[in-house]
Amino acid sequence: MSIQILEIVVYSHEGEARSLQLVPGQMNIITGASKTGKSALVDIVDYCFGSGECRVPEGPIRRCVSWFGLKLALPQGQAFVARRCPLSGYSSSEDCFVDLGTSVTVPDHAELRQTTNTNGLESLLTGWTGIGDHLHEPPEDQTRAPLTAQVRHALLMCFQPQDEIIRRQQLFHKTSDNFLAQALKDTLPYFLGAVDDEYVRRRDELKRLRERLRSCERRLAELQAIRGEGVSKAADILAQARDAGLTSTTADTWDAAILALQEVAKTPLATVDNALPIGGEYERLTTERDVLLQEQQRLRDEISAARSFESDENAYSYEATEQASRLKSIGIFEGSESTTSCPLCTRNLDDEDLPPGIGEMREALTRVTDRLDSVVRSIPKLESAIAELESQLAQVTESLTKNLSELQAVQIADAALQQAQEQATRKSHILGRVSLYVESVPEVPDTQSLESEAKSLRDQCKALEAELSDEAVQERLDSILSIINERMTEWARYLQLEHSQYPLQLNLKKLTIVAATQDGLVPVARMGSGENWVGYHLIAHLGLHEWFTKNVRPVPRFLFLDQPSQVYFPPDQDDDGSLSGMGEDDREAVSRMFKFVYDTVATLAGSFQVIVTEHADIKEDWYQESVVERWRSGTKLIPESWPRLDQLPGNHE
């Protein structure tokens, strides 16, 4: 058993409680006059089930009530939920009270307090209803967000207010709102069982398998990338090694190429270097040429210095000869005595003007003559030294010429040697690349088991996808709807509705009923008469709830019908609720309609509850036993004695 309503309770601001007791598993009728609060019951129940807005009409109820409450029968135990009536100017209240137990009593007003908010209340009600963690994921070509089924979606099939039960364009509660209409379309397959809890479990299993498969394929792709890129790279390096003469192995697979390269990497570098002759003569001649060039430069520098010295010596010799010639003229005074007269002009000389003595002049001549003799004697030695240096320079130049000739000869003769040396360098380079590549290659495990696992996961995913495909879901949904359609067609004929001679179909895409006539599909919106519109609303909702109940689907087990007889029984003709003012056909139609509801509920053996608010009070035993209260002669939902909020002392609202 899912949720049914045991009591509807309202509390006054002074703490009084008014309780409307209902019977689970049967039709409950609240009959009475207009303006007694019957229609507000739908809004009270909706508000206590977590509605985001309190739609209880402004007036005596909103002014006189402080809390609304429901006592609920749950699959296991009972619960009492209550919400504070919003203050004037507010659309709702977040103050929610919840009491849960095997058996609960209606609390006193003083016990009411906030124990949760609307989100918490909705979550609790969703769980009590039995709604699992169902997430509807829209098709990939649609942009709306995924939708999780909640109790608020199920309640769209549990209420038929007075202004909706006669509406031909709208079959379900609040579905004039396109967002709510789409939400119902998305969740109905789940509520019907085409997408059941097992489907949800298997869909979650499919998600897990897909995650495992993606992980497995990602690992395989990484390994294949290593192998794929590696095959090409390893083959290239192996080809270079073969070209360099390091190996003769060929390989068709990555593994074979790696093994071959690992063998190449074991080749000692010294073996590669020593395997080739080195050009020693060319190197010796190059070294010798460097020495000869240095010696040539040294000799040239020494010869240049000697030539410079020789030039300086010749200049000195010339000056010294000139000076000696002048001093030799003193020989004309040989034998003369020294006087104070000039020997040339016989002029008397003062002591200050006296020239150096002849002796001193002779001494100067002797010194110059000695130095001049020394220079004359050194000139042959300098010439000899320069000649020696020039001879050495000539030898060095000759050696350089010979060295250049030999060097050119070696270069020509050792071209093959030079090529071999380059080959050795290339081999060393390639060997280094091979070693680096082999060391950097990761250990790639055998992918056979991974590929086997991926194949198994693909097979499992494919099988589950077939079970969970849109086509499979649609097949189950079509099968369910065919059963409901058959029941609706049967009931429509019993109620003598228009087009009931044709098969009826519940169209979930448009959320309406259509008759499959010979001229095409005819929706309810194109059918006439309020009697037909009410009748089609009844057979659609009872057909769905019969299916929900028999198949234990997670939908609250109650249906609220507000004044279904209004098309036959206008409120302004209501005196005592009797049908005496109606014609015979209308009385029969009204009686047939309520008997249909009564019998349908009875066939479900206490598992389904219908709550009807009505003006009519049919004098039939089955109807009378279904009446839980009569609101006439001053009896109302809100007692006349309850004060309004603005009438309370100290309240200046």
Side-chain angles (χ1 to χ4, degrees):
M1 181 179 69
S2 184
I3 297 177
Q4 296 189 52
I5 303 174
L6 300 177
E7 292 185 49
I8 301 174
V9 186
V10 292
Y11 294 86
S12 74
H13 293 287
E14 292 187 329
E16 299 173 279
R18 163 79 161 93
S19 175
L20 171 63
Q21 300 199 12
L22 303 173
V23 182
Q26 73 173 44
M27 183 168 70
N28 294 259
I29 299 174
I30 301 94
T31 182
S34 298
K35 300 181 180 179
T36 55
K38 299 189 303 299
S39 295
L41 293 176
V42 174
D43 298 319
I44 291 172
V45 174
D46 188 30
Y47 184 60
C48 289
F49 265 83
S51 173
E53 180 182 356
C54 180
R55 291 184 174 83
V56 177
E58 291 286 350
I61 299 177
R62 293 279 288 263
R63 295 291 183 172
C64 297
V65 174
S66 59
W67 286 78
F68 302 104
L70 298 178
K71 183 178 179 180
L72 304 174
L74 307 180
Q76 290 84 31
Q78 297 178 348
F80 184 84
V81 300
R83 284 187 73 180
R84 189 185 298 276
C85 179
L87 297 175
S88 178
Y90 291 85
S91 62
S92 66
S93 171
E94 286 294 304
D95 292 352
C96 303
F97 173 85
V98 177
D99 186 20
L100 182 66
T102 304
S103 177
V104 300
T105 58
V106 175
D108 294 332
H109 181 270
E111 299 177 60
L112 298 177
R113 66 194 184 282
Q114 183 179 14
T115 61
T116 186
N117 56 20
T118 53
N119 288 335
L121 176 62
E122 182 179 336
S123 179
L124 288 171
L125 290 165
T126 298
W128 296 340
T129 305
I131 299 174
D133 189 17
H134 169 69
L135 180 68
H136 171 77
E137 296 179 349
E140 294 182 358
D141 59 343
Q142 298 185 13
T143 58
R144 67 180 186 276
L147 179 69
T148 301
Q150 302 288 344
V151 70
R152 297 298 307 169
H153 302 134
L155 289 170
L156 298 177
M157 298 174 285
C158 295
F159 297 118
Q160 282 291 281
Q162 179 181 1
D163 61 335
E164 291 181 349
I165 198 170
I166 60 171
R167 190 174 298 175
R168 59 179 176 176
Q169 296 89 356
Q170 178 184 333
L171 192 61
F172 296 98
H173 183 48
K174 294 183 179 179
T175 50
S176 58
D177 183 324
N178 291 333
F179 176 80
L180 292 177
Q182 186 61 56
L184 183 58
K185 294 175 187 178
D186 290 342
T187 54
L188 252 175
Y190 169 72
F191 290 127
L192 286 168
V195 179
D196 57 9
D197 292 338
E198 179 64 17
Y199 177 95
V200 174
R201 186 192 67 79
R202 295 181 74 78
R203 188 187 63 188
D204 292 341
E205 181 183 356
L206 178 59
K207 287 182 180 179
R208 290 192 295 271
L209 288 174
R210 283 173 173 169
E211 282 295 326
R212 288 178 56 192
L213 178 59
R214 280 194 290 269
S215 176
C216 188
E217 289 178 337
R218 189 162 49 246
R219 290 169 57 198
L220 276 172
E222 291 171 355
L223 296 177
Q224 291 298 335
I226 293 174
R227 287 181 179 275
E229 295 176 2
V231 167
S232 175
K233 190 170 184 179
D236 290 346
I237 295 178
L238 186 60
Q240 293 174 13
R242 287 197 303 271
D243 185 60
L246 292 170
T247 182
S248 60
T249 305
T250 59
D252 296 329
T253 65
W254 184 76
D255 290 330
I258 291 299
L259 289 175
L261 290 173
Q262 288 173 343
E263 290 299 318
V264 172
K266 295 177 182 178
T267 304
L269 185 60
T271 302
V272 174
D273 292 339
N274 295 334
L276 297 170
I278 298 175
E281 181 62 15
Y282 182 84
E283 182 177 356
R284 185 189 66 77
L285 290 173
T286 301
T287 303
E288 179 184 87
R289 183 172 182 80
D290 291 339
V291 173
L292 289 173
L293 288 172
Q294 292 177 5
E295 180 67 12
Q296 184 185 51
Q297 185 62 41
R298 184 187 67 78
L299 290 172
R300 285 175 175 172
D301 291 343
E302 288 186 4
I303 290 171
S304 177
R307 294 291 186 194
S308 176
F309 181 76
E310 183 182 24
S311 175
D312 293 342
E313 191 175 58
N314 289 336
Y316 178 79
S317 175
Y318 175 78
E319 291 295 330
T321 301
E322 287 293 324
Q323 185 176 3
S325 298
R326 289 193 296 269
L327 290 175
K328 285 181 178 180
S329 62
I330 63 172
I332 61 174
F333 300 107
E334 289 293 337
S336 298
E337 294 180 1
S338 176
T339 65
T340 59
S341 298
C342 174
L344 297 178
C345 63
T346 67
R347 181 177 65 87
N348 289 328
L349 300 174
D350 295 331
D351 292 337
E352 296 179 357
D353 296 329
L354 289 177
I358 294 174
E360 293 175 351
M361 294 177 68
R362 271 196 200 98
E363 291 177 2
L365 176 60
T366 300
R367 288 195 300 272
V368 170
T369 302
D370 292 340
R371 291 178 182 175
L372 185 57
D373 291 340
S374 175
V375 169
V376 171
R377 286 193 303 271
S378 66
I379 286 175
K381 295 180 180 179
L382 183 59
E383 291 292 341
S384 176
I386 290 173
E388 179 65 24
L389 289 173
E390 288 179 341
S391 174
Q392 293 178 14
L393 179 59
Q395 292 176 3
V396 169
T397 301
E398 183 180 355
S399 297
L400 278 171
T401 301
K402 179 182 177 183
N403 176 272
L404 178 61
S405 175
E406 292 177 356
L407 193 59
Q408 290 174 344
V410 169
Q411 282 181 320
I412 294 172
D414 288 353
L417 178 62
Q418 183 177 358
Q419 182 178 0
Q421 184 62 35
E422 292 174 356
Q423 181 68 16
T425 303
R426 181 166 172 264
K427 282 186 177 182
S428 299
H429 174 70
I430 292 174
L431 185 60
R433 289 192 64 196
V434 169
S435 299
L436 180 62
Y437 178 75
V438 169
E439 291 173 1
S440 65
V441 170
E443 291 293 332
V444 180
D446 184 8
T447 60
Q448 184 175 359
S449 60
L450 201 57
E451 289 172 351
S452 176
E453 180 184 359
K455 183 180 182 303
S456 175
L457 289 171
R458 288 191 197 97
D459 292 341
Q460 294 179 61
C461 287
K462 186 176 180 180
L464 280 176
E465 285 168 354
E467 293 181 25
L468 303 176
S469 66
D470 292 341
E471 292 78 8
V473 172
Q474 189 60 48
E475 287 179 4
R476 289 192 291 272
L477 189 58
D478 290 342
S479 177
I480 293 169
L481 289 176
S482 67
I483 297 172
I484 296 174
N485 292 340
E486 184 178 351
R487 290 293 278 166
M488 290 194 309
T489 302
E490 175 188 343
W491 291 338
R493 290 169 183 169
Y494 170 77
L495 293 175
Q496 301 177 16
L497 301 179
E498 185 179 346
H499 297 292
S500 60
Q501 70 271 30
Y502 301 110
L504 300 179
Q505 300 173 7
L506 183 60
N507 188 322
L508 297 188
K509 291 183 178 180
K510 296 184 178 180
L511 296 179
T512 190
I513 294 176
V514 297
T517 73
Q518 58 193 11
D519 298 322
L521 300 177
V522 179
V524 173
R526 286 167 46 195
M527 299 178 187
S529 173
E531 178 183 354
N532 288 314
W533 304 335
V534 172
Y536 279 111
H537 277 252
L538 290 177
I539 65 172
H541 284 81
L542 289 172
L544 287 170
H545 278 281
E546 182 183 64
W547 176 266
F548 295 150
T549 302
K550 288 183 176 180
N551 292 276
V552 197
R553 298 307 302 150
V555 177
R557 296 286 187 266
F558 65 83
L559 174 62
F560 227 113
L561 303 174
D562 185 17
Q563 302 186 48
S565 71
Q566 59 186 294
V567 294
Y568 306 97
F569 194 69
D572 57 2
Q573 299 180 13
D574 178 22
D575 292 326
D576 58 0
S578 67
L579 306 181
S580 58
M582 290 185 183
E584 183 65 25
D585 291 343
D586 286 347
R587 283 199 303 271
E588 289 181 1
V590 171
S591 180
R592 185 168 51 246
M593 178 180 65
F594 283 112
K595 188 64 165 67
F596 158 65
V597 176
Y598 177 87
D599 290 341
T600 303
V601 174
T603 60
L604 297 177
S607 299
F608 178 61
Q609 177 187 47
V610 172
I611 304 166
V612 183
T613 56
E614 256 301 331
H615 290 284
D617 194 352
I618 302 173
K619 305 308 179 184
E620 297 281 354
D621 291 343
W622 56 266
Y623 189 94
Q624 293 299 309
E625 71 180 26
S626 301
V627 175
V628 294
E629 283 197 13
R630 288 182 174 85
W631 293 355
R632 298 180 187 277
S633 303
T635 302
K636 302 178 181 180
L637 174 63
I638 305 301
E640 293 287 351
S641 60
W642 281 16
R644 294 160 57 100
L645 181 61
D646 56 0
Q647 295 173 343
L648 295 175
N651 191 297
H652 303 289
E653 184 183 17

